[in-house]
Amino acid sequence: MPAIQRSEFALALNQVANERGIDPEIVLDTVKNAIVAAYRKDHPDIVVEEYSATLDSNSGEAKIFHNEEDVTPPGFGRIAAQTAKQVILQKIREKEKEAIITDYKVRIGTIVNGMVLRFAGPNIIVDIGKAEGIMPPMEQIANEKYHLNQRLAVYLSEIREGLKGEEIIVSRASTGLLEGLLKREVPEVAQGSVEVKAIVREAGNRAKIAVFSNQSGIDPVGSCVGQKGVRVQAIIAEFNG
């Protein structure tokens, strides 16, 4: 039976194992199950549990067995090759998405710089680097105007299950955005020498921030305002003044 081209198969498997961090044995097992499923399409009356597939990890040659008897049909190699490629590509995509989501999970509660990509109904899709974030209406500032390619800071609010898997929810209305901007613009807040005790915010209108420091010589309010108001003005500018 024709085998999957070694160079193509080995290259794809090597990419999955080394570049994507996926266990090749998991990929091979998934491919075997997919090959049996492909065989079943042409033989719908078989008892699947009685059939198995073997796959040579070096040559990529696939065979179908029924109770240890080789029942591989002529010309099945091409079907097996296509099935293997589809499974490997799917595993690569799944692993990439999983890695991206894992990266952003540890960053929930922080701010990132983003850019408005498109509008999806009432939602705004924001490019946040390796992924896209969704900003639903409740996370938008009511009187803030958004446009394509607009650059803005957003708060990584949560990751939740959506129609197409896990979705990253970002916010412009959260008090977390204001606290994150304080940490970015005020070193004393980032270092912990000035503590943000409370934030009360009417997104798009006004905000009140209570700050505190138990370290002598540090003026918590002055630290946040900055010389000639430069720090607080940088935060205000993020909200378009």
Side-chain angles (χ1 to χ4, degrees):
M1 186 193 83
I4 304 170
Q5 289 185 8
R6 176 171 183 155
S7 59
E8 185 177 332
F9 182 80
L11 180 62
L13 192 60
N14 181 70
Q15 179 185 19
V16 171
N18 297 331
E19 297 180 13
R20 310 295 177 175
I22 304 175
D23 186 344
E25 289 301 320
I26 294 177
V27 178
L28 289 174
D29 287 342
T30 306
V31 171
K32 291 175 187 177
N33 292 334
I35 288 173
V36 173
Y39 178 80
R40 186 186 183 187
K41 287 183 179 180
D42 294 328
H43 305 80
D45 297 329
I46 68 170
V47 179
V48 176
E49 290 75 16
E50 297 178 357
Y51 288 76
S52 62
T54 62
L55 185 65
D56 190 305
S57 60
N58 293 318
S59 67
E61 183 178 13
K63 292 183 178 181
I64 296 290
F65 287 86
H66 176 232
N67 294 330
E68 300 185 359
E69 178 186 355
D70 188 346
V71 293
T72 308
F76 189 70
R78 183 173 299 177
I79 297 174
Q82 186 62 34
T83 301
K85 285 189 288 186
Q86 290 174 350
V87 169
I88 289 172
L89 289 174
Q90 180 182 350
K91 282 295 179 182
I92 290 174
R93 288 192 294 267
E94 289 176 356
K95 192 65 177 180
E96 287 177 337
K97 184 175 182 180
E98 178 185 321
I100 290 171
I101 291 295
T102 299
D103 178 43
Y104 280 96
K105 278 182 178 178
V106 301
R107 298 167 65 185
I108 292 297
T110 64
I111 65 171
V112 296
N113 292 322
M115 184 179 72
V116 175
L117 276 182
R118 62 183 182 277
F119 298 91
N123 298 326
I124 298 173
I125 309 302
V126 182
D127 180 352
I128 54 174
K130 295 180 180 179
E132 295 180 359
I134 299 175
M135 184 160 57
M138 67 181 63
E139 301 296 348
Q140 300 168 24
I141 298 176
N143 59 358
E144 190 170 53
K145 303 299 181 182
Y146 303 101
H147 56 83
L148 293 178
N149 301 322
Q150 177 183 355
R151 297 187 180 279
L152 70 182
V154 294
Y155 177 73
L156 296 179
S157 181
E158 63 174 322
I159 293 177
R160 67 188 185 197
E161 197 67 29
L163 295 176
K164 297 181 180 180
E166 291 182 302
E167 299 173 337
I168 303 171
I169 305 301
V170 300
S171 175
R172 286 281 290 174
S174 171
T175 57
L177 175 61
L178 186 51
E179 184 172 359
L181 290 171
L182 278 168
K183 290 179 179 178
R184 188 175 74 180
E185 300 295 337
V186 183
E188 292 85 350
V189 174
Q191 296 164 4
S193 55
V194 171
E195 181 182 351
V196 178
K197 301 294 288 185
I199 296 178
V200 178
R201 183 183 178 200
E202 294 179 14
N205 293 316
R206 58 183 178 177
K208 291 184 178 181
I209 305 169
V211 291
F212 168 80
S213 178
N214 58 9
Q215 296 187 22
S216 61
I218 293 182
D219 175 8
V221 175
S223 296
C224 293
V225 173
Q227 188 174 12
K228 296 183 180 180
V230 64
R231 291 176 176 176
V232 73
Q233 288 301 322
I235 295 173
I236 293 173
E238 177 60 44
F239 298 103
N240 300 314

